[in-house]
């Protein structure tokens, strides 16, 4: 079973259904998943002092950074995509 990090409580399973318009994939068009990190004074200071990525990441999370999986979970709840698709896209890298 595929899982994504984050609060996935209350998410009902959702699978794409194929049709002629989507070439039997269950998806048509494009929908982006986005990650956004505002550069706060704390983040700026960590970057300038060349702090490690783990420290920057934890500070960003504390400052309210919106992570890729958070956006994916929101789009799953809105039934705009599936868990499988979010896992597939977020595991690239």
């Amino acid at each position: 079973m595929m899982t994504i990090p984050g609060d996935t409580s209350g998410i009902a399973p959702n699978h794409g259904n194929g049709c002629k318009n989507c070439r039997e994939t269950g998806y048509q068009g494009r929908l982006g998943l986005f990650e956004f990190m505002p550069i706060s004074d704390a983040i700026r200071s960590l970057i300038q002092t060349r702090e490690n990525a783990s420290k920057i990441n934890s500070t960003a999370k504390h400052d309210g950074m919106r992570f890729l999986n958070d956006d994916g979970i929101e789009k799953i709840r809105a039934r705009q995509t599936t868990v499988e698709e979010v896992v597939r896209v977020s595991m690239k890298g």
Side-chain angles (χ1 to χ4, degrees):
M1 178 176 179
M2 291 187 236
T3 60
I4 53 177
D7 179 14
T8 57
S9 60
I11 294 179
N14 165 19
H15 301 282
N17 296 319
C19 68
K20 183 178 87 173
N21 293 328
C22 69
R23 296 183 181 166
E24 305 300 329
T25 65
Y27 302 99
Q28 184 175 7
R30 293 184 179 255
L31 176 69
L33 295 183
F34 299 96
E35 192 166 73
F36 180 71
M37 179 175 67
I39 305 298
S40 64
D41 289 338
I43 296 292
R44 184 175 288 108
S45 176
L46 293 172
I47 292 169
Q48 289 173 338
T49 59
R50 301 173 78 69
E51 193 62 60
N52 66 46
S54 177
K55 178 67 175 168
I56 294 170
N57 190 39
S58 66
T59 302
K61 184 175 183 177
H62 179 267
D63 287 355
M65 179 176 171
R66 182 182 172 98
F67 289 90
L68 191 70
N69 286 334
D70 298 329
D71 192 39
I73 289 168
E74 184 178 305
K75 288 174 178 162
I76 293 166
R77 284 200 170 108
R79 302 189 69 79
Q80 295 174 318
T81 192
T82 63
V83 171
E84 293 84 3
E85 187 65 5
V86 171
V87 169
R88 184 188 73 76
V89 171
S90 65
M91 293 301 179
K92 288 183 176 181

